[in-house]
Amino acid sequence: MPPAPAADAALAAFPDHYCGLLRFLTRRTGCAETARELTHDTWLRLVEGSQYQGVSEHDNRPAPPDAAPAPGDSMPPHDPRAYMYTVAAHLAANLHRHQARGARWFVQPGHADASAAAAAGDVARTHALRQAVAAVEQALHELPPRRRDIFLAHRLDGEGHAAIATQHGISIKTVEREVTAAMDAVHAAMLRWRGDPPATTPLRGRRKALAGLLGLAGIGVGTGATWCAWQLWRELAAQYELALTTPRGRRLSQPLPDGSRLVLDAASRAEVVFGATRRTVRLLAGSAFFAVARDAERPFIVETEMARVTVLGTHFSVELEDGNDGRTAALAVAVERGHVRVQGLASAQAVDLHDGDRWRIEADGSARVFRRTDAATDDDVAPWRDGWLDFRGTPLATAARRLARYHAQTIHVDEAVAGLPVLGRVHIADALAWLRLLPTSLPVRVGVAADGGVVIGPAPRARGPR
């Protein structure tokens, strides 16, 4: 489905309203850095309007709470300014809602320092990207005025050589030379930023790639420099690396430089590696939810020790389930919307999953697909994002290990009752109270362990009459 006409008009008008949007979002969020990120997200939503429909034409389910609102959904159809401000307001509201959820999620306040330490690893990357932006902006400002105007008109505004030549009263060949010289200057600035020696060979092979990378329409000089910096950084530095870790009781919502977002569950670990041709996330422990920005030239791959998940653009979750011995006992993939391809590392057969589908593989290599029409797929994808866990016949020991990610108290389960099936939806903040009520639905006894945690054992047998 093509983007709505209002989205096209708003995209064309975006440069004129960039500063106003930035001020608007700064007032909404109270943070200039957050406002700048949301402003860029607004531009992405306008470009990819057709991808973020709240309701697809084949699916009457509402979009999840964290999904960006679809351009065209309850928005003014003929006013580009009102349209883009509505998109920005929705994004700010989504951010506030996620922050509010995180604030009320758990009953235990601890781990603030650990959470801050987990996010601190991203500071170096942010600083490096700012330096890249500054390098590109400086290179553009140092160009002769005519060369800079020609370069921006051609690469950012999309004007042809002939039109530019007529406007400046010069030949088409002169326009080509000016554009080439400007690209060489930007490339040299990026090399200096990286600390690499100046290029000693012609940039013919690189020049064609840069022409495509810098061919962005609808962005002003300052914003255009930002996007040029990111695209050049992706091509020249060719790598973005980030290690993420969350302690018990804390989760992390991490934006990625391509516009994607990763939400890491409590007690989880992941490594992010982006290159020029692929985007990879290695999920080492726990669970993660991915909202992937579409990029046909760079597939998004989630790697685990049991399977590989490949996507272009979609929303889905991946969960590693711990076993009694501490090793991974199973892997589950659930698609909220979109299309993913899953392949077990021990199998050559790949499985395609679509909206509502789920896939699960056990440690022994046996795998099973649950389609959207199955009763087993009626629950939400990654409900832990909203503070809930769904158990559908889950072994008691597995459920206890899942709950242990969120609480400091240990949960011990006797082997005699470890396999009892657990059914129901559990509010994470009330998990300990839910455990104490288990004897009303299962033949178990819940008590206090020697270490102060919870111990679950078999219920005592009722004594018969003497």
Side-chain angles (χ1 to χ4, degrees):
M1 181 184 298
D8 293 336
L11 185 61
F14 187 87
D16 298 330
H17 297 283
Y18 175 82
C19 294
L21 276 173
L22 194 58
R23 290 192 297 269
F24 169 74
L25 289 169
T26 300
R27 291 193 300 269
R28 282 291 184 97
T29 63
C31 175
E33 289 298 322
T34 301
R36 189 173 291 108
E37 291 183 2
L38 289 176
T39 303
H40 291 167
D41 286 345
T42 300
W43 183 84
L44 279 174
R45 296 304 185 267
L46 296 177
V47 172
E48 303 172 353
S50 61
Q51 182 181 348
Y52 295 92
Q53 294 298 321
V55 180
S56 73
E57 52 186 325
H58 300 297
D59 187 353
N60 59 6
R61 297 178 303 168
D66 66 321
D73 182 13
S74 302
M75 298 183 185
H78 303 299
D79 187 342
R81 181 182 181 279
Y83 187 95
M84 71 177 73
Y85 271 78
T86 303
V87 174
H90 279 312
L91 290 172
N94 283 348
L95 177 64
H96 284 308
R97 182 162 52 244
H98 280 296
Q99 290 174 339
R101 285 176 187 164
R104 69 171 186 263
W105 219 36
F106 302 109
V107 293
Q108 300 175 6
H111 306 298
D113 294 339
S115 180
D122 199 32
V123 173
R125 189 273 305 174
T126 301
H127 181 65
L129 184 54
R130 287 175 182 169
Q131 288 182 326
V133 172
V136 171
E137 289 180 336
Q138 183 67 25
L140 291 176
H141 285 298
E142 290 178 354
L143 293 175
R146 188 183 75 172
R147 180 173 299 171
R148 180 174 61 249
D149 292 343
I150 291 174
F151 175 73
L152 294 177
H154 181 57
R155 295 306 178 192
L156 296 180
D157 297 334
E159 295 185 17
H161 287 177
I164 296 175
T166 301
Q167 179 181 355
H168 289 271
I170 56 179
S171 67
I172 294 178
K173 287 291 185 182
T174 301
V175 172
E176 293 176 350
R177 286 196 296 270
E178 294 283 31
V179 170
T180 298
M183 286 196 300
D184 288 345
V186 172
H187 182 263
M190 292 297 292
L191 290 178
R192 289 194 300 272
W193 166 69
R194 290 183 56 194
D196 291 347
T200 57
T201 57
L203 302 176
R204 294 173 183 174
R206 177 73 67 186
R207 187 168 293 126
K208 184 177 180 181
L210 290 177
L213 289 172
L214 298 176
L216 300 173
I219 303 180
V221 175
T223 309
T226 302
W227 284 98
C228 290
W230 155 239
Q231 296 283 16
L232 282 168
W233 179 63
R234 185 184 74 171
E235 177 68 16
L236 297 178
Q239 188 161 293
Y240 164 93
E241 294 184 357
L242 182 63
L244 300 172
T245 302
T246 52
R248 283 186 179 184
R250 291 290 174 180
R251 66 172 181 172
L252 174 67
S253 180
Q254 176 65 44
L256 300 177
D258 64 337
S260 302
R261 182 170 293 274
L262 183 159
V263 183
L264 200 62
D265 194 12
S268 301
R269 291 186 296 118
E271 294 177 351
V272 182
V273 180
F274 280 19
T277 59
R278 59 184 280 174
R279 302 168 288 172
T280 303
V281 176
R282 300 186 185 97
L283 184 61
L284 305 176
S287 309
F289 179 85
F290 303 89
V292 179
R294 183 176 181 83
D295 186 343
E297 297 180 356
R298 292 194 306 161
F300 193 102
I301 300 172
V302 179
E303 295 181 343
T304 72
E305 61 182 282
M306 300 179 69
R308 179 182 294 109
V309 184
T310 305
V311 304
L312 290 179
T314 186
H315 290 195
F316 66 103
S317 67
V318 180
E319 178 169 346
L320 295 172
E321 185 178 294
D322 295 334
N324 294 327
D325 56 359
R327 299 180 181 178
T328 301
L331 169 70
V333 178
V335 179
E336 187 171 70
R337 72 172 186 262
H339 171 207
V340 307
R341 174 161 292 183
V342 185
Q343 182 170 3
L345 299 185
S347 171
Q349 184 178 6
V351 177
D352 288 338
L353 304 178
H354 299 272
D355 296 14
D357 291 345
R358 297 167 185 271
W359 181 85
R360 179 182 176 87
I361 185 171
E362 307 293 339
D364 60 7
S366 60
R368 183 180 177 186
V369 177
F370 302 91
R371 295 301 178 185
R372 177 180 171 183
T373 54
D374 297 339
T377 64
D378 289 342
D379 52 333
D380 298 333
V381 173
W384 48 263
R385 291 176 293 157
D386 297 323
W388 295 90
L389 290 177
D390 289 323
F391 298 127
R392 297 178 177 270
T394 307
L396 178 56
T398 301
R401 284 192 295 271
R402 190 70 175 85
L403 290 172
R405 295 186 189 177
Y406 309 99
H407 295 277
Q409 293 94 330
T410 56
I411 304 175
H412 307 275
V413 179
D414 192 287
E415 292 185 3
V417 297
L420 291 177
V422 177
L423 296 169
R425 166 165 275 211
V426 180
H427 191 226
I428 294 173
D430 300 326
L432 296 180
W434 177 82
L435 286 174
R436 297 188 189 99
L437 294 176
L438 275 179
T440 62
S441 58
L442 293 175
V444 298
R445 176 178 58 184
V446 179
V448 179
D451 59 3
V454 178
V455 59
I456 305 175
R461 295 183 180 180
R463 295 183 180 181
R466 293 184 179 178

